[in-house]
């Protein structure tokens, strides 16, 4: 449930994600969670057709593919901050500075700014690709698809407040400046001599590429659903050149797949607990066999058979209690490590409750099972013959 809620935070209030990715699930992973940069493009003309044909409340274009020290760069328009809500009911807030309103200005997500040490007024240069020198295209190094856009620098004008979603680890720039720096690369490749810096006026239709579009269909005021959503979805899917994804639907599908893995882990945990109980039983049984003389002495000193039985069961239950405490402690440590890694790598905030009803149930069940495992050794102790085991040694 925690994972599902964390993933749902990233999709926000959009209804559809339109792209040319390989599948709807890949589109959501790339366009919302920045798993990889999409390789297939829509053109600006495709965007214009979508805008004219369907009743969208907003239609926000994006281009991805550049990075800064590993942080994904999302080139988009100002509508991204005014219309799209990264979390339903929660609009973008600024931690400091302002949104970009000119070319070659960037706004950093909170986590990206913290990890990279970005401050207002800093200037940075972008890298096409991940920035890794080992990055290949189809297995072979390609200098055109991995290089620094060192002719242009961007100024940090704003830092966003944290949202607890993957968007916190991205950096945002305006779409036109992204088109400009890639158009400059095109012009350099087609020219044999020195060329002047490219401007927006130098752009041609082929430069205006978009990797994805966030879309929200018009709804009634204060409503998030509409019968028109399915109609628009069906109309878009009829176009074989488009990949249309419902982020909410794809996240549900993802967790349906992952759900079977959860069941496997649960049953593995059950098997481990039962195996531990059997181990406690065998250890106590062997221990009782070696402590029969001590048990006989206790009987002579006045302990009843049932008192001996209770002592062994209590010892078994204490072993279960120690195991439960150690297990919960390790779970807390492991959960802290995992949530930290997920937050750093994916920007997702996992709110996993350690102290819950289930913690109490599992802990109590472990102690009860351990006590039950001690019944057989306790019966062995109960039946210990006093006279036989008090004979002189040797």
């Amino acid at each position: 449930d925690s994972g599902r809620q964390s993933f749902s935070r990233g999709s926000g209030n959009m209804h559809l994600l339109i792209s040319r990715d390989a599948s709807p699930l890949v589109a959501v992973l790339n366009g919302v969670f920045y798993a990889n940069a999409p390789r297939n493009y829509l053109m600006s003309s495709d965007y214009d057709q979508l805008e004219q044909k369907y009743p969208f409340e907003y239609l926000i274009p994006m281009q991805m593919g550049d990075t800064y020290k590993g942080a994904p760069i999302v080139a988009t328009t100002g509508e991204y901050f005014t219309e799209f809500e990264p979390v339903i009911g929660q609009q973008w807030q600024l931690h400091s500075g302002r949104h970009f309103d000119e070319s070659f200005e960037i706004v950093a997500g909170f986590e990206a700014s913290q990890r990279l040490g970005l401050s207002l007024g800093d200037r940075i240069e972008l890298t096409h690709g991940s920035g890794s020198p080992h990055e290949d295209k189809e297995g072979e190094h390609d200098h055109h698809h991995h290089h620094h856009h060192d002719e242009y620098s961007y100024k940090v004008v704003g830092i966003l407040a944290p949202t607890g979603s993957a968007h916190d680890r991205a950096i945002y720039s305006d779409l036109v400046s992204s088109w400009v720096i890639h158009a400059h690369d095109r012009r350099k490749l087609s020219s044999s001599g020195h060329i002047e810096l490219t401007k927006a006026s130098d752009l041609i239709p082929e430069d205006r590429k978009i990797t994805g579009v966030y879309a929200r269909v018009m709804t009634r005021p204060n409503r998030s659903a509409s019968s028109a959503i399915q109609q628009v979805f069906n109309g878009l899917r009829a176009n074989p050149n488009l990949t249309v994804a419902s982020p909410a639907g794809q996240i549900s599908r993802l967790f349906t797949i992952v759900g079977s893995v959860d069941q496997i882990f649960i049953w593995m945990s059950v098997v481990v607990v039962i195996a531990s109980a059997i181990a406690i039983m065998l250890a106590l049984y062997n221990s009782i066999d070696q402590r029969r003389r001590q048990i006989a002495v206790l009987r002579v000193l006045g302990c009843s058979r049932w008192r001996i039985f209770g002592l062994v069961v209590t010892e078994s239950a204490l072993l279960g209690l120690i195991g439960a405490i150690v297990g919960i402690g390790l779970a807390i440590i492991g959960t802290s490590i995992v949530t930290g890694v997920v937050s750093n790598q994916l920007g997702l905030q996992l709110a996993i409750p350690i102290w819950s009803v289930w913690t109490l149930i599992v802990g109590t069940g472990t102690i009860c099972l351990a006590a039950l495992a001690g019944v057989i050794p306790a019966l062995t102790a109960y039946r210990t013959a006093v006279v036989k085991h008090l004979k002189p040694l040797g």
Side-chain angles (χ1 to χ4, degrees):
D1 290 340
S2 176
R4 186 187 293 270
Q5 292 172 7
S6 296
F7 272 84
S8 297
R9 291 179 70 85
S11 59
N13 69 340
M14 82 171 91
H15 290 146
L16 303 172
L17 174 58
I18 306 167
S19 69
R20 281 187 174 157
D21 275 304
S23 70
L25 182 57
V26 171
V28 172
L29 292 176
N30 290 345
V32 178
F33 301 103
Y34 314 115
N36 291 295
R39 291 193 174 185
N40 299 320
Y41 292 91
L42 294 164
M43 302 308 297
S44 181
S45 57
D46 298 321
Y47 172 86
D48 294 337
Q49 291 176 10
L50 293 172
E51 195 172 33
Q52 295 168 8
K53 188 173 182 179
Y54 297 101
F56 289 116
E57 185 175 318
Y58 67 65
L59 199 66
I60 304 173
M62 300 184 305
Q63 186 187 73
M64 295 173 57
D66 291 337
T67 61
Y68 175 68
K69 294 184 178 180
I73 303 296
V74 179
T76 184
T77 63
E79 276 188 305
Y80 187 89
F81 302 112
T82 58
E83 301 294 334
F84 172 62
E85 296 176 354
V87 180
I88 295 178
Q90 178 181 324
Q91 295 183 334
W92 287 103
Q93 300 293 327
L94 282 165
H95 178 267
S96 58
R98 59 175 174 81
H99 295 146
F100 57 74
D101 54 20
E102 297 179 8
S103 294
F104 303 104
E105 293 182 336
I106 65 167
V107 177
F110 185 79
E111 186 177 330
S113 68
Q114 296 295 303
R115 182 173 66 85
L116 301 174
L118 294 177
S119 302
L120 297 181
D122 288 351
R123 287 200 166 270
I124 65 172
E125 295 175 355
L126 308 187
T127 300
H128 189 89
S130 68
S132 168
H134 303 291
E135 182 178 5
D136 300 331
K137 184 180 182 182
E138 297 180 356
E140 296 182 0
H141 190 71
D142 189 333
H143 291 281
H144 174 58
H145 289 87
H146 165 61
H147 61 271
H148 292 285
H149 297 295
D150 51 8
E151 298 92 348
Y152 298 88
S153 66
Y154 284 75
K155 181 181 179 181
V156 180
V157 297
I159 296 174
L160 297 168
T163 65
S165 69
H167 302 295
D168 291 343
R169 65 187 184 89
I171 298 174
Y172 303 91
S173 71
D174 70 291
L175 185 58
V176 174
S177 65
S178 181
W179 287 342
V180 167
I181 61 178
H182 292 99
H184 189 71
D185 293 337
R186 170 188 58 78
R187 292 178 65 210
K188 284 197 302 182
L189 288 174
S190 61
S191 175
S192 57
H194 176 75
I195 61 171
E196 295 182 355
L197 288 179
T198 302
K199 307 185 191 67
S201 58
D202 297 320
L203 297 175
I204 61 176
E206 288 73 18
D207 295 324
R208 301 175 183 272
K209 296 177 179 178
I210 298 168
T211 57
V213 180
Y214 285 5
R216 180 178 173 86
V217 180
M218 286 186 177
T219 60
R220 293 181 180 180
N222 301 320
R223 295 286 184 89
S224 60
S226 168
S227 59
I229 296 175
Q230 189 62 45
Q231 297 176 3
V232 173
F233 183 79
N234 293 337
L236 291 169
R237 288 189 64 185
N239 187 337
N241 295 319
L242 297 178
T243 298
V244 188
S246 167
Q250 292 304 313
I251 291 169
S252 296
R253 179 188 171 198
L254 175 63
F255 277 88
T256 298
I257 297 171
V258 175
S260 59
V261 179
D262 289 343
Q263 295 298 319
I264 293 173
F265 281 121
I266 290 172
W267 284 109
M268 286 178 62
S269 300
V270 170
V271 171
V272 168
V273 171
I274 293 175
S276 299
I278 293 173
I280 290 174
M281 181 189 69
L282 293 175
L284 281 177
Y285 187 86
N286 292 331
S287 174
I288 293 300
D289 194 51
Q290 296 171 6
R291 290 188 291 172
R292 289 183 185 274
R293 185 176 180 83
Q294 298 173 9
I295 293 170
V297 171
L298 288 174
R299 289 291 313 281
V300 170
L301 293 176
C303 284
S304 66
R305 290 177 180 269
W306 286 110
R307 181 73 177 273
I308 298 296
F309 181 92
L311 287 173
V312 176
V313 171
T314 301
E315 181 180 355
S316 182
L318 284 174
L319 290 174
L321 175 62
I322 294 171
I325 293 173
V326 172
I328 292 173
L330 291 176
I332 294 174
I333 295 172
T335 300
S336 300
I337 293 173
V338 169
T339 53
V341 170
V342 170
S343 176
N344 291 332
Q345 298 297 323
L346 299 178
L348 298 176
Q349 302 298 321
L350 294 178
I352 302 177
I354 292 297
W355 302 108
S356 65
V357 175
W358 281 108
T359 306
L360 181 62
I361 291 173
V362 172
T364 304
T366 301
I367 297 170
C368 292
L369 187 60
L372 185 63
V375 170
I376 293 177
L379 286 173
T380 302
Y382 177 89
R383 294 171 180 171
T384 297
V386 176
V387 175
K388 178 181 177 181
H389 294 91
L390 283 180
K391 293 179 180 180
L393 296 175

